[in-house]
Amino acid sequence: MSSEFISPTGNRNKPEVFRANSGFPDFDSTGLIRRTDPVDSCLLNLRTKYDVVIAGAGHNGLVAAGYLAQAGKSVLMLEKNPEIGGATKSARIFDGVDAKISVYSYLVSLFPRKIAKDLGIDLQLKRRKIASYTPDGIGELLVSNVDESVTRDSFHELTGTDRDYLGYLKLQEAQERVAKVIWPGLLNPLVDREALLSGLQPEDRRAFFEEPLGNLIESHLDHDLIRGMVFTDAKIGVLTEPEDATLLQNRTFLYHIIGRGTGKWQPPAGGMGALVDQLESVARRAGTEILTGAGVLEIGPGSGNSDHEVRFSLDGQEQSVRARFVLQNHTPPHPSGEVDREREGSVFKINLMLKHLPALKSKTVSAEDAFCGTFHIDEGYEKMRADYWAVDAGSLPEDPGCEIYCHSLTDPSILGEEVREKGWQTLTCFGLDAPYGLFESDNEALRQLTLERAFRVINEHLT
Ligand SMILES: Cc1cc2nc3c(=O)[nH]c(=O)nc-3n(C[C@H](O)[C@H](O)[C@H](O)COP(=O)(O)OP(=O)(O)OC[C@H]3O[C@@H](n4cnc5c(N)ncnc54)[C@H](O)[C@@H]3O)c2cc1C
């Protein structure tokens, strides 16, 4: 939903408008984005049959390709877009600005060290000094990754007691207990639900897997802002609320707390694209063939015993290839053609370049601290619940909850030397409660409305 980005530099500064490239960027010289090879030469080299065809070249498909090709299988990847990486790509999206933006996904937690080791990938993660900053115009909360006393003092300052801080610690202990049981399950052979959950304490099983997550949060924390800060991990990317009977909020929360057994989220050095570049070269070196601009149309039975036939479109022409196995690394459309609420994305992302960090209204927290962690805006607990019901009734929230984050503060290597010397910074705004289904009716108008509202709520915290 993006083509024009306006930096929310606040009243003190003139608004600066950056226009993102209209087409797909062409960064062949850097190897960052690969242009589609000429169709004829691609097809000339294509075999008629592969051991494995992988539909979609996101990072999960690339990992699978790396393993399979290293095991000696013939692998073909078919990617609809002109570039590789899916939601983990990086690109220089601002004309004339040398800044590699992690366009969608930007933090890593769920990528197991074992996979990096097996594939020979050097995955370096940066450490963010501040985990999060959450102001609400009255109070503010700062959670540090390096100094526990900063976090404790901030909880006390906000609430006037230690109760929420102690509740927060207890909650984290419970999360760590759950993470220790669930995280290894991502790499071990699949077991059934009972076998997996049997390793949990009964109260953890109930709180994380059987009851709506709202109960757990409300029993540990009193302050609305602190409850909200915790609940964002259950809501980011999907449309849900604390009491959601489908437990979508519980599942989303689990994804956010189990990573590497700690639930820590860190930016990869060089941005997401640096990780994807490594995955791509591992897969290619092992012999994987990758065809971009190739959208899979249908996966059907082939003529051989266990073969499949994959039909795809390349440069407007329909092609097909046979495979023993097909891995589907993209979400297929819902059979009914309708949007499935539990799988529907509910997020907007705005990428910006700033000529300098905006000044904050806060008298106690510096802009560097606030922007280097996750800066929560309008993400109070009851506010998010109300927004859910507003969206459920068909309208976008007046004041969209969102999180902003300055990647280049933690990892200046994503900026070219000139941009770095000028002191420019990237800023990402990741917004809640923007379900795909609502935008379908008039994407352009709702996109504009979302931009205006997001900048308004961000500017509330800037001088
Ligand atoms: C805005 C946003 C921010 C996010 N932030 C984070 C984050 O910070 N950290 C995190 O861990 N996760 C994050 N996520 C989630 C994460 O990005 C995804 O879970 C992950 O990228 C999924 O990877 P994948 O390889 O499975 O699929 P994808 O990355 O979705 O890749 C699927 C690929 O399939 C291709 N494709 C689609 N249809 C076809 C077709 N018919 N034929 C051929 N190819 C096709 C697509 O073009 C794409 O390249 C975020 C998601 C979004 C949307």
Side-chain angles (χ1 to χ4, degrees), residues 38-78:
V39 173
D40 289 346
S41 67
C42 287
L43 290 178
L44 276 181
N45 294 332
L46 218 60
R47 308 179 195 192
T48 53
K49 186 178 169 191
Y50 289 81
D51 291 324
V52 185
V53 165
I54 302 177
H59 74 97
N60 282 317
L62 288 165
V63 165
Y67 271 108
L68 289 162
Q70 284 185 354
K73 305 293 173 202
S74 58
V75 181
L76 172 69
M77 295 195 90
L78 298 172

Side-chain angles (χ1 to χ4, degrees), residues 57 73 77 89 108 115 137 157 164 201 255 311 330 346 351 406 408 415 459:
K73 305 293 173 202
M77 295 195 90
K89 72 170 187 177
V108 169
I115 292 184
E157 181 69 28
D164 271 13
Q201 295 183 11
Y255 276 118
R311 287 197 305 109
H330 68 284
S346 181
N351 291 307
C406 175
S408 50
L415 304 178
N459 276 327

